[in-house]
Amino acid sequence: MNGPDGMSTERRLGVQAERTELAWVRTTLACGALAAVSTRLLSDDIGLIVALALGALVAVPGLVASVWRVRRLRERPEPAPPSLAGVALLAGSVAVVDVVVLVELAR
């Protein structure tokens, strides 16, 4: 059955999963880049490698959460809220990096 936009329901749900994946990846990479850049700019004592590691500490859990979300959408295309574990994973990684940066800045 086609919707008002001419796309089949199956195709529309496939596009929804793809848009969701792109949004999660974009947000995760932005968070990781922000963590790396802000860490590097806030302190000259923190090296580039440490800043990149902190950025990866934020980005990798977010990418894992995005994979979980997209798999869930592809298995059951009915829209549902993201899993609590995925959101907690991303929020937790951001909180850990915040604490690490604050400890480094307090030195």
Side-chain angles (χ1 to χ4, degrees):
M1 182 171 172
N2 289 341
D5 57 3
M7 291 176 73
S8 69
T9 302
E10 183 179 304
R11 173 75 177 127
R12 196 172 329 117
L13 293 174
V15 172
Q16 176 191 2
E18 186 176 333
R19 279 194 320 260
T20 299
E21 180 179 17
L22 292 172
W24 275 72
V25 168
R26 180 187 63 232
T27 301
T28 298
L29 292 177
C31 287
L34 180 62
V37 169
S38 61
T39 301
R40 185 77 172 127
L41 291 177
L42 288 176
S43 177
D44 292 332
D45 298 333
I46 297 176
L48 178 62
I49 299 299
V50 173
L52 291 175
L54 290 174
L57 187 64
V58 171
V60 169
L63 292 173
V64 169
S66 75
V67 168
W68 289 349
R69 176 68 175 151
V70 170
R71 280 188 184 160
R72 189 171 174 197
L73 276 175
R74 289 193 175 136
E75 289 170 1
R76 190 183 64 195
E78 291 299 317
S83 70
L84 185 58
V87 173
L89 185 64
L90 183 55
S93 66
V94 171
V96 166
V97 170
D98 288 347
V99 169
V100 169
V101 170
L102 289 174
V103 166
E104 281 296 318
L105 290 175
R107 287 182 168 190

Coordinates of all heavy atoms in Angstrom, one line a residue:
M1 N 0.8 -1.2 0.0 CA 0.0 0.0 0.0 C 0.9 1.2 0.0 O 1.8 1.3 0.8 CB -0.9 0.0 1.2 CG -1.8 1.1 1.3 SD -3.0 0.8 2.7 CE -3.8 2.3 2.7
N2 N 0.6 2.2 -0.8 CA 1.3 3.4 -0.9 C 0.7 4.5 -0.1 O -0.5 4.6 0.0 CB 1.4 3.9 -2.4 CG 2.3 3.0 -3.2 OD1 3.1 2.2 -2.6 ND2 2.2 3.0 -4.5
G3 N 1.6 5.3 0.5 CA 1.1 6.5 1.3 C 0.9 7.7 0.4 O 1.1 7.6 -0.8
P4 N 0.6 8.8 1.0 CA 0.4 10.0 0.2 C 1.6 10.5 -0.5 O 1.5 11.2 -1.5 CB 0.0 11.1 1.3 CG 0.3 10.5 2.6 CD 0.5 9.0 2.4
D5 N 2.8 10.1 -0.1 CA 4.0 10.5 -0.8 C 4.4 9.6 -1.9 O 5.4 9.8 -2.6 CB 5.2 10.6 0.2 CG 5.4 9.4 1.0 OD1 4.7 8.4 0.7 OD2 6.3 9.4 1.8
G6 N 3.6 8.5 -2.1 CA 3.8 7.6 -3.2 C 4.8 6.4 -2.8 O 5.0 5.5 -3.6
M7 N 5.3 6.5 -1.6 CA 6.2 5.4 -1.2 C 5.4 4.3 -0.5 O 4.4 4.6 0.2 CB 7.2 6.0 -0.2 CG 8.2 6.9 -0.8 SD 9.3 7.6 0.5 CE 10.4 6.3 0.8
S8 N 5.9 3.1 -0.6 CA 5.2 2.0 0.1 C 5.5 2.1 1.6 O 6.5 2.7 2.0 CB 5.7 0.6 -0.5 OG 7.0 0.4 -0.1
T9 N 4.7 1.5 2.4 CA 4.9 1.5 3.8 C 6.2 0.9 4.2 O 7.0 1.4 5.0 CB 3.8 0.8 4.5 OG1 2.5 1.4 4.2 CG2 3.9 0.8 6.0
E10 N 6.6 -0.2 3.5 CA 7.8 -0.9 3.8 C 9.0 0.0 3.5 O 10.0 0.1 4.2 CB 7.9 -2.2 2.9 CG 9.1 -3.0 3.2 CD 9.1 -4.3 2.4 OE1 8.1 -5.1 2.5 OE2 10.1 -4.5 1.6
R11 N 9.0 0.6 2.3 CA 10.1 1.5 1.9 C 10.2 2.7 2.9 O 11.2 3.1 3.3 CB 9.8 2.0 0.5 CG 10.8 3.1 0.0 CD 12.1 2.5 -0.3 NE 13.0 3.5 -0.8 CZ 14.2 3.8 -0.3 NH1 14.7 3.1 0.7 NH2 14.9 4.8 -0.8
R12 N 9.0 3.3 3.3 CA 9.0 4.4 4.2 C 9.7 4.0 5.6 O 10.4 4.8 6.1 CB 7.6 4.9 4.4 CG 7.5 6.3 5.0 CD 6.2 6.9 5.1 NE 5.3 6.5 4.0 CZ 4.1 5.8 4.2 NH1 3.7 5.5 5.4 NH2 3.4 5.5 3.2
L13 N 9.3 2.8 6.1 CA 9.9 2.4 7.3 C 11.4 2.1 7.2 O 12.2 2.3 8.1 CB 9.2 1.1 7.8 CG 7.8 1.4 8.3 CD1 7.1 0.1 8.6 CD2 7.7 2.4 9.4
G14 N 11.9 1.6 6.0 CA 13.3 1.4 5.8 C 14.0 2.8 5.7 O 15.1 2.9 6.3
V15 N 13.4 3.8 5.2 CA 14.0 5.1 5.1 C 14.1 5.7 6.6 O 15.0 6.3 6.9 CB 13.2 6.0 4.2 CG1 13.7 7.5 4.3 CG2 13.4 5.5 2.8
Q16 N 13.0 5.4 7.3 CA 13.0 5.9 8.7 C 14.2 5.3 9.5 O 14.9 6.0 10.2 CB 11.7 5.5 9.4 CG 11.7 5.9 10.9 CD 10.6 5.2 11.7 OE1 9.8 4.5 11.1 NE2 10.5 5.5 12.9
A17 N 14.5 4.0 9.3 CA 15.6 3.4 10.0 C 16.9 4.0 9.6 O 17.8 4.3 10.4 CB 15.6 1.9 9.8
E18 N 17.0 4.3 8.3 CA 18.3 4.9 7.8 C 18.4 6.4 8.3 O 19.5 6.7 8.7 CB 18.2 5.0 6.2 CG 19.5 5.4 5.6 CD 19.4 5.4 4.1 OE1 18.7 4.5 3.5 OE2 20.1 6.2 3.4
R19 N 17.4 7.1 8.3 CA 17.4 8.5 8.9 C 17.8 8.4 10.4 O 18.6 9.3 10.8 CB 16.1 9.2 8.7 CG 15.9 9.8 7.4 CD 14.7 10.8 7.4 NE 13.6 10.4 8.2 CZ 12.5 9.8 7.8 NH1 12.3 9.6 6.5 NH2 11.5 9.5 8.6
T20 N 17.3 7.5 11.1 CA 17.6 7.4 12.5 C 19.0 7.0 12.7 O 19.7 7.6 13.6 CB 16.7 6.3 13.2 OG1 15.3 6.7 13.0 CG2 17.0 6.1 14.6
E21 N 19.5 6.1 11.9 CA 21.0 5.7 12.0 C 21.9 6.9 11.7 O 22.8 7.2 12.5 CB 21.3 4.6 11.0 CG 22.7 4.2 11.0 CD 23.0 3.0 10.1 OE1 22.1 2.8 9.1 OE2 24.0 2.4 10.2
L22 N 21.5 7.7 10.7 CA 22.4 8.8 10.4 C 22.3 9.9 11.5 O 23.3 10.5 11.8 CB 21.9 9.4 9.0 CG 22.2 8.6 7.8 CD1 21.5 9.2 6.6 CD2 23.7 8.4 7.6
A23 N 21.2 10.1 12.1 CA 21.0 11.1 13.1 C 21.8 10.6 14.4 O 22.5 11.5 15.0 CB 19.6 11.2 13.5
W24 N 21.8 9.4 14.7 CA 22.5 8.9 15.9 C 24.0 9.0 15.6 O 24.8 9.4 16.5 CB 22.1 7.5 16.2 CG 20.9 7.3 17.1 CD1 19.6 7.6 16.7 CD2 20.9 7.0 18.4 NE1 18.8 7.3 17.7 CE2 19.5 7.0 18.8 CE3 21.8 6.6 19.4 CZ2 19.1 6.6 20.1 CZ3 21.4 6.3 20.7 CH2 20.1 6.3 21.0
V25 N 24.5 8.6 14.5 CA 25.9 8.6 14.1 C 26.4 10.1 14.1 O 27.4 10.4 14.7 CB 26.2 7.9 12.8 CG1 27.6 8.2 12.3 CG2 26.0 6.4 12.9
R26 N 25.6 11.0 13.5 CA 26.0 12.4 13.5 C 26.1 13.0 14.9 O 27.0 13.7 15.2 CB 24.9 13.2 12.6 CG 25.2 14.7 12.5 CD 24.1 15.4 11.8 NE 22.9 15.3 12.6 CZ 21.7 14.9 12.2 NH1 21.6 14.5 10.9 NH2 20.6 14.8 13.0
T27 N 25.1 12.7 15.7 CA 25.1 13.2 17.1 C 26.3 12.7 17.9 O 27.0 13.4 18.6 CB 23.8 12.9 17.8 OG1 22.7 13.4 17.0 CG2 23.7 13.4 19.2
T28 N 26.5 11.4 17.7 CA 27.6 10.7 18.4 C 29.0 11.3 18.0 O 29.8 11.6 18.9 CB 27.6 9.2 18.2 OG1 26.4 8.7 18.7 CG2 28.7 8.5 18.8
L29 N 29.2 11.4 16.7 CA 30.5 12.0 16.2 C 30.6 13.4 16.7 O 31.7 13.9 17.0 CB 30.6 11.9 14.7 CG 30.7 10.4 14.2 CD1 30.7 10.4 12.7 CD2 31.9 9.7 14.8
A30 N 29.5 14.2 16.7 CA 29.6 15.6 17.2 C 30.0 15.6 18.7 O 30.8 16.5 19.1 CB 28.3 16.3 16.9
C31 N 29.4 14.8 19.5 CA 29.7 14.7 20.9 C 31.2 14.3 21.1 O 31.9 14.9 21.9 CB 28.8 13.7 21.6 SG 27.2 14.2 21.8
G32 N 31.7 13.3 20.3 CA 33.1 12.9 20.4 C 34.0 14.0 20.0 O 35.0 14.3 20.7
A33 N 33.7 14.7 18.9 CA 34.5 15.8 18.4 C 34.5 16.9 19.4 O 35.6 17.5 19.7 CB 34.1 16.3 17.1
L34 N 33.4 17.3 20.0 CA 33.3 18.3 21.0 C 34.1 18.0 22.2 O 34.9 18.8 22.7 CB 31.9 18.6 21.4 CG 31.6 19.7 22.4 CD1 32.1 21.0 21.9 CD2 30.2 19.7 22.8
A35 N 34.1 16.7 22.6 CA 34.9 16.3 23.8 C 36.4 16.4 23.5 O 37.1 17.0 24.3 CB 34.5 14.9 24.2
A36 N 36.8 16.0 22.3 CA 38.2 16.1 22.0 C 38.7 17.5 21.8 O 39.7 17.9 22.4 CB 38.5 15.3 20.7
V37 N 37.9 18.3 21.1 CA 38.3 19.7 20.9 C 38.3 20.5 22.2 O 39.3 21.3 22.5 CB 37.4 20.4 19.8 CG1 37.7 21.9 19.7 CG2 37.7 19.7 18.5
S38 N 37.3 20.4 23.0 CA 37.2 21.2 24.2 C 38.3 20.7 25.2 O 38.8 21.6 25.9 CB 35.8 21.1 24.8 OG 35.5 19.7 25.2
T39 N 38.6 19.5 25.2 CA 39.7 19.0 26.1 C 41.0 19.6 25.7 O 41.8 20.1 26.5 CB 39.7 17.4 26.0 OG1 38.5 16.9 26.5 CG2 40.8 16.9 26.9
R40 N 41.2 19.6 24.4 CA 42.5 20.1 23.9 C 42.6 21.6 24.1 O 43.6 22.2 24.4 CB 42.6 19.8 22.4 CG 43.8 20.2 21.7 CD 44.9 19.2 22.1 NE 46.1 19.5 21.3 CZ 47.3 19.8 21.8 NH1 47.5 19.6 23.1 NH2 48.3 20.1 21.0
L41 N 41.5 22.4 23.9 CA 41.5 23.8 24.1 C 41.6 24.3 25.5 O 42.1 25.3 25.8 CB 40.3 24.4 23.4 CG 40.2 24.4 21.9 CD1 38.9 24.9 21.3 CD2 41.4 25.1 21.2
L42 N 41.0 23.5 26.4 CA 40.9 23.9 27.8 C 42.3 23.8 28.5 O 42.5 24.5 29.5 CB 39.9 23.1 28.6 CG 38.4 23.5 28.2 CD1 37.5 22.5 28.9 CD2 38.1 24.9 28.6
S43 N 43.1 22.9 28.1 CA 44.4 22.7 28.8 C 45.5 22.4 27.8 O 45.4 21.5 27.0 CB 44.2 21.6 29.8 OG 45.5 21.4 30.4
D44 N 46.6 23.2 28.0 CA 47.8 22.9 27.1 C 48.5 21.7 27.6 O 49.3 21.1 26.9 CB 48.7 24.1 27.1 CG 48.1 25.3 26.4 OD1 47.3 25.1 25.5 OD2 48.4 26.4 26.7
D45 N 48.3 21.3 28.9 CA 48.9 20.1 29.4 C 48.4 18.8 28.9 O 49.1 17.8 29.0 CB 48.8 20.1 31.0 CG 49.4 21.3 31.6 OD1 50.4 21.9 31.0 OD2 49.0 21.7 32.7
I46 N 47.2 18.8 28.3 CA 46.6 17.6 27.8 C 47.0 17.4 26.4 O 46.8 18.3 25.5 CB 45.1 17.6 27.9 CG1 44.7 17.7 29.4 CG2 44.5 16.4 27.3 CD1 43.2 17.8 29.7
G47 N 47.7 16.3 26.0 CA 48.1 16.1 24.7 C 47.0 15.7 23.7 O 45.9 15.4 24.1
L48 N 47.4 15.7 22.5 CA 46.5 15.4 21.4 C 45.9 14.0 21.5 O 44.7 13.7 21.3 CB 47.1 15.6 20.0 CG 46.3 15.3 18.8 CD1 45.0 16.2 18.8 CD2 47.1 15.4 17.5
I49 N 46.8 13.1 21.9 CA 46.4 11.7 22.0 C 45.4 11.5 23.1 O 44.4 10.8 22.9 CB 47.6 10.8 22.3 CG1 48.7 10.9 21.2 CG2 47.2 9.3 22.5 CD1 48.1 10.4 19.8
V50 N 45.6 12.2 24.2 CA 44.6 12.1 25.3 C 43.3 12.7 24.9 O 42.2 12.1 25.2 CB 45.2 12.8 26.6 CG1 44.1 12.8 27.7 CG2 46.4 12.1 27.1
A51 N 43.3 13.8 24.2 CA 42.1 14.5 23.8 C 41.3 13.6 22.8 O 40.1 13.4 22.9 CB 42.4 15.8 23.1
L52 N 42.0 12.9 21.9 CA 41.4 12.0 20.9 C 40.8 10.8 21.7 O 39.8 10.3 21.3 CB 42.4 11.6 19.9 CG 42.8 12.7 18.9 CD1 43.8 12.2 17.9 CD2 41.6 13.2 18.1
A53 N 41.6 10.3 22.7 CA 41.1 9.2 23.4 C 39.8 9.5 24.2 O 38.8 8.7 24.2 CB 42.1 8.7 24.4
L54 N 39.7 10.7 24.7 CA 38.5 11.1 25.4 C 37.3 11.3 24.4 O 36.2 11.0 24.7 CB 38.7 12.4 26.2 CG 39.6 12.3 27.4 CD1 39.9 13.6 28.0 CD2 39.0 11.4 28.5
G55 N 37.7 11.8 23.3 CA 36.6 11.9 22.2 C 36.1 10.5 21.8 O 34.9 10.3 21.6
A56 N 37.0 9.6 21.7 CA 36.6 8.2 21.3 C 35.8 7.6 22.5 O 34.9 6.8 22.2 CB 37.9 7.4 21.0
L57 N 36.2 7.9 23.7 CA 35.4 7.4 24.9 C 34.0 7.8 24.8 O 33.1 7.1 25.2 CB 36.1 7.9 26.2 CG 35.6 7.3 27.5 CD1 35.8 5.8 27.5 CD2 36.2 8.0 28.6
V58 N 33.7 9.0 24.2 CA 32.3 9.5 24.1 C 31.7 8.9 22.8 O 30.6 8.4 22.8 CB 32.3 11.0 24.0 CG1 30.9 11.5 23.6 CG2 32.7 11.6 25.3
A59 N 32.5 8.8 21.7 CA 31.9 8.4 20.4 C 31.6 6.9 20.3 O 30.5 6.5 19.8 CB 32.8 8.8 19.3
V60 N 32.5 6.1 20.8 CA 32.3 4.6 20.6 C 31.0 4.1 21.3 O 30.2 3.4 20.7 CB 33.5 3.8 21.1 CG1 33.3 2.4 21.2 CG2 34.7 4.1 20.1
P61 N 30.7 4.5 22.6 CA 29.5 4.0 23.1 C 28.2 4.5 22.4 O 27.2 3.8 22.3 CB 29.5 4.5 24.6 CG 30.9 4.7 24.9 CD 31.6 5.1 23.6
G62 N 28.3 5.7 21.9 CA 27.2 6.3 21.1 C 27.0 5.5 19.8 O 25.9 5.3 19.4
L63 N 28.1 5.1 19.2 CA 28.0 4.3 17.9 C 27.4 2.9 18.2 O 26.6 2.4 17.5 CB 29.3 4.2 17.3 CG 29.9 5.5 16.7 CD1 31.3 5.3 16.2 CD2 29.0 6.0 15.6
V64 N 27.8 2.4 19.4 CA 27.2 1.1 19.8 C 25.7 1.3 20.0 O 24.8 0.4 19.6 CB 27.8 0.5 21.1 CG1 27.1 -0.6 21.6 CG2 29.3 0.2 20.7
A65 N 25.3 2.3 20.7 CA 23.9 2.6 20.9 C 23.1 2.8 19.6 O 22.0 2.4 19.5 CB 23.7 3.8 21.8
S66 N 23.7 3.4 18.7 CA 23.1 3.7 17.4 C 22.9 2.3 16.6 O 21.8 2.1 16.0 CB 23.9 4.6 16.5 OG 25.0 4.0 15.9
V67 N 23.8 1.4 16.7 CA 23.7 0.1 16.1 C 22.5 -0.6 16.8 O 21.7 -1.2 16.1 CB 25.0 -0.7 16.2 CG1 24.8 -2.2 15.9 CG2 26.0 -0.1 15.3
W68 N 22.4 -0.6 18.1 CA 21.3 -1.2 18.8 C 20.0 -0.7 18.3 O 19.0 -1.4 18.1 CB 21.4 -1.0 20.3 CG 22.5 -1.8 21.0 CD1 23.3 -2.8 20.5 CD2 22.9 -1.5 22.3 NE1 24.1 -3.2 21.4 CE2 24.0 -2.5 22.6 CE3 22.6 -0.7 23.3 CZ2 24.6 -2.5 23.8 CZ3 23.2 -0.7 24.5 CH2 24.2 -1.6 24.8
R69 N 19.9 0.7 18.2 CA 18.7 1.3 17.8 C 18.2 0.9 16.4 O 17.1 0.6 16.1 CB 18.8 2.9 17.9 CG 17.7 3.7 17.5 CD 16.5 3.5 18.4 NE 15.4 4.4 18.0 CZ 14.2 4.1 18.2 NH1 13.8 3.0 18.8 NH2 13.2 5.0 17.8
V70 N 19.2 1.0 15.5 CA 18.9 0.7 14.1 C 18.5 -0.8 13.9 O 17.5 -1.1 13.2 CB 20.1 1.0 13.2 CG1 19.9 0.5 11.8 CG2 20.2 2.5 13.1
R71 N 19.2 -1.7 14.6 CA 18.8 -3.1 14.6 C 17.4 -3.3 15.1 O 16.6 -4.1 14.5 CB 19.7 -4.0 15.4 CG 21.0 -4.3 14.7 CD 21.8 -5.3 15.5 NE 23.1 -5.5 14.9 CZ 24.1 -6.0 15.5 NH1 24.1 -6.3 16.8 NH2 25.3 -6.1 14.8
R72 N 17.0 -2.6 16.1 CA 15.7 -2.7 16.7 C 14.6 -2.2 15.7 O 13.6 -2.8 15.5 CB 15.6 -1.9 18.0 CG 14.4 -2.1 18.8 CD 14.5 -1.5 20.1 NE 13.2 -1.6 20.8 CZ 12.9 -0.8 21.9 NH1 13.8 0.0 22.3 NH2 11.7 -1.0 22.4
L73 N 14.9 -1.1 15.0 CA 14.0 -0.6 14.0 C 13.8 -1.5 12.8 O 12.8 -1.6 12.3 CB 14.5 0.8 13.5 CG 14.1 2.0 14.4 CD1 14.7 3.2 13.8 CD2 12.6 2.2 14.5
R74 N 14.9 -2.2 12.4 CA 14.9 -3.0 11.3 C 14.1 -4.3 11.6 O 13.5 -4.9 10.8 CB 16.2 -3.3 10.7 CG 16.8 -2.1 10.1 CD 18.0 -2.3 9.2 NE 18.4 -1.1 8.6 CZ 19.6 -0.6 8.5 NH1 20.6 -1.3 9.0 NH2 19.8 0.5 7.8
E75 N 14.3 -4.8 12.9 CA 13.6 -6.0 13.3 C 12.1 -5.8 13.5 O 11.2 -6.6 13.1 CB 14.1 -6.5 14.6 CG 15.5 -7.1 14.5 CD 16.1 -7.4 15.9 OE1 15.4 -7.1 16.9 OE2 17.2 -7.8 15.9
R76 N 11.7 -4.6 14.0 CA 10.3 -4.3 14.3 C 10.2 -2.8 13.9 O 10.5 -1.9 14.7 CB 10.0 -4.5 15.8 CG 8.5 -4.4 16.0 CD 8.3 -4.5 17.5 NE 8.9 -3.3 18.2 CZ 9.1 -3.3 19.5 NH1 8.7 -4.2 20.2 NH2 9.6 -2.2 20.0
P77 N 9.8 -2.6 12.7 CA 9.8 -1.2 12.1 C 8.8 -0.3 12.8 O 8.8 0.9 12.5 CB 9.5 -1.4 10.6 CG 8.9 -2.8 10.5 CD 9.3 -3.6 11.7
E78 N 7.9 -0.7 13.6 CA 7.0 0.2 14.3 C 7.8 1.1 15.2 O 8.7 0.7 16.0 CB 6.0 -0.5 15.2 CG 5.0 -1.3 14.3 CD 4.2 -0.4 13.4 OE1 3.7 0.6 13.8 OE2 4.0 -0.8 12.2
P79 N 7.7 2.4 15.1 CA 8.5 3.3 15.9 C 8.3 3.1 17.4 O 7.2 2.9 17.8 CB 7.9 4.7 15.5 CG 7.3 4.5 14.2 CD 6.8 3.1 14.2
A80 N 9.4 3.0 18.1 CA 9.3 2.8 19.5 C 10.5 3.7 20.1 O 11.4 4.0 19.4 CB 9.6 1.4 19.9
P81 N 10.3 4.1 21.4 CA 11.4 4.9 22.0 C 12.7 4.1 22.0 O 12.7 2.9 22.0 CB 10.9 5.1 23.4 CG 9.5 4.6 23.5 CD 9.3 3.8 22.3
P82 N 13.8 4.8 22.0 CA 15.1 4.2 22.1 C 15.2 3.4 23.4 O 14.6 3.8 24.4 CB 16.1 5.3 22.0 CG 15.4 6.5 22.1 CD 14.0 6.3 21.9
S83 N 16.1 2.4 23.4 CA 16.2 1.6 24.6 C 16.9 2.4 25.7 O 17.8 3.2 25.4 CB 17.0 0.3 24.3 OG 18.4 0.6 24.0
L84 N 16.5 2.1 26.9 CA 17.1 2.8 28.0 C 18.6 2.5 28.1 O 19.4 3.4 28.5 CB 16.4 2.4 29.3 CG 16.8 3.1 30.6 CD1 16.6 4.6 30.4 CD2 16.0 2.6 31.8
A85 N 19.0 1.3 27.8 CA 20.4 1.0 27.8 C 21.2 1.8 26.9 O 22.3 2.3 27.2 CB 20.6 -0.5 27.5
G86 N 20.7 2.0 25.7 CA 21.4 2.8 24.7 C 21.6 4.3 25.1 O 22.7 4.8 25.0
V87 N 20.5 4.8 25.6 CA 20.6 6.2 26.1 C 21.5 6.3 27.3 O 22.3 7.2 27.4 CB 19.2 6.7 26.4 CG1 19.2 8.1 27.0 CG2 18.3 6.8 25.1
A88 N 21.4 5.4 28.2 CA 22.3 5.4 29.4 C 23.7 5.2 29.0 O 24.6 5.9 29.6 CB 21.9 4.3 30.3
L89 N 24.0 4.4 28.0 CA 25.4 4.2 27.6 C 26.0 5.5 27.0 O 27.1 5.9 27.4 CB 25.4 3.1 26.5 CG 26.8 2.7 25.9 CD1 27.6 2.1 27.0 CD2 26.6 1.7 24.8
L90 N 25.2 6.2 26.2 CA 25.7 7.5 25.7 C 25.8 8.5 26.7 O 26.9 9.2 26.8 CB 24.8 8.0 24.5 CG 25.2 9.2 23.8 CD1 26.6 9.1 23.2 CD2 24.2 9.6 22.7
A91 N 24.8 8.7 27.6 CA 24.9 9.7 28.7 C 26.0 9.3 29.6 O 26.7 10.2 30.1 CB 23.5 9.7 29.4
G92 N 26.2 8.1 29.9 CA 27.2 7.7 30.9 C 28.6 8.0 30.3 O 29.5 8.4 31.1
S93 N 28.8 7.7 29.0 CA 30.2 8.0 28.5 C 30.4 9.5 28.5 O 31.6 9.9 28.7 CB 30.3 7.5 27.1 OG 29.4 8.1 26.2
V94 N 29.4 10.3 28.2 CA 29.6 11.8 28.3 C 29.9 12.2 29.7 O 30.8 13.0 30.0 CB 28.4 12.5 27.8 CG1 28.5 14.0 28.0 CG2 28.2 12.3 26.3
A95 N 29.3 11.6 30.7 CA 29.5 12.0 32.1 C 30.9 11.6 32.5 O 31.6 12.3 33.3 CB 28.5 11.3 33.0
V96 N 31.4 10.4 32.1 CA 32.7 10.0 32.5 C 33.8 10.9 31.9 O 34.7 11.3 32.6 CB 33.0 8.5 31.9 CG1 34.5 8.2 32.0 CG2 32.2 7.5 32.7
V97 N 33.6 11.3 30.7 CA 34.6 12.3 30.1 C 34.5 13.6 30.8 O 35.6 14.2 31.1 CB 34.3 12.4 28.6 CG1 35.1 13.6 28.0 CG2 34.7 11.1 27.8
D98 N 33.3 14.1 31.2 CA 33.2 15.3 31.9 C 34.0 15.2 33.2 O 34.7 16.2 33.6 CB 31.7 15.6 32.2 CG 31.0 16.1 31.0 OD1 31.6 16.4 30.0 OD2 29.7 16.1 31.1
V99 N 33.9 14.1 33.9 CA 34.6 14.0 35.2 C 36.1 13.9 35.0 O 36.9 14.6 35.7 CB 34.1 12.7 35.9 CG1 35.0 12.3 37.1 CG2 32.7 12.8 36.4
V100 N 36.5 13.2 34.0 CA 38.0 13.1 33.7 C 38.5 14.5 33.3 O 39.6 14.9 33.8 CB 38.2 12.2 32.5 CG1 39.7 12.3 32.0 CG2 37.9 10.7 32.9
V101 N 37.8 15.3 32.5 CA 38.3 16.6 32.2 C 38.3 17.5 33.4 O 39.2 18.3 33.6 CB 37.4 17.2 31.0 CG1 37.7 18.7 30.8 CG2 37.6 16.4 29.8
L102 N 37.3 17.5 34.2 CA 37.3 18.3 35.4 C 38.4 17.9 36.4 O 39.0 18.8 37.0 CB 35.9 18.1 36.2 CG 34.7 18.8 35.5 CD1 33.4 18.5 36.2 CD2 34.9 20.3 35.4
V103 N 38.7 16.7 36.5 CA 39.8 16.3 37.4 C 41.1 16.8 36.8 O 42.0 17.3 37.5 CB 39.9 14.7 37.5 CG1 41.2 14.2 38.1 CG2 38.7 14.2 38.3
E104 N 41.3 16.7 35.5 CA 42.5 17.2 34.8 C 42.6 18.7 35.0 O 43.7 19.2 35.2 CB 42.5 16.8 33.3 CG 43.0 15.4 33.0 CD 44.4 15.2 33.4 OE1 45.3 16.0 33.2 OE2 44.6 14.1 34.0
L105 N 41.5 19.4 34.9 CA 41.6 20.9 35.0 C 41.9 21.3 36.4 O 42.4 22.4 36.6 CB 40.3 21.5 34.5 CG 40.1 21.4 33.0 CD1 38.7 21.9 32.6 CD2 41.1 22.2 32.2
A106 N 41.5 20.5 37.4 CA 41.7 20.8 38.8 C 43.1 20.7 39.2 O 43.5 21.2 40.2 CB 40.8 20.0 39.7
R107 N 43.9 20.0 38.4 CA 45.3 19.8 38.8 C 46.1 21.0 38.8 O 46.1 21.9 38.2 CB 46.0 18.8 37.8 CG 45.6 17.4 38.0 CD 46.3 16.6 37.0 NE 46.1 15.2 37.4 CZ 46.8 14.2 36.8 NH1 47.7 14.5 35.9 NH2 46.6 13.0 37.1

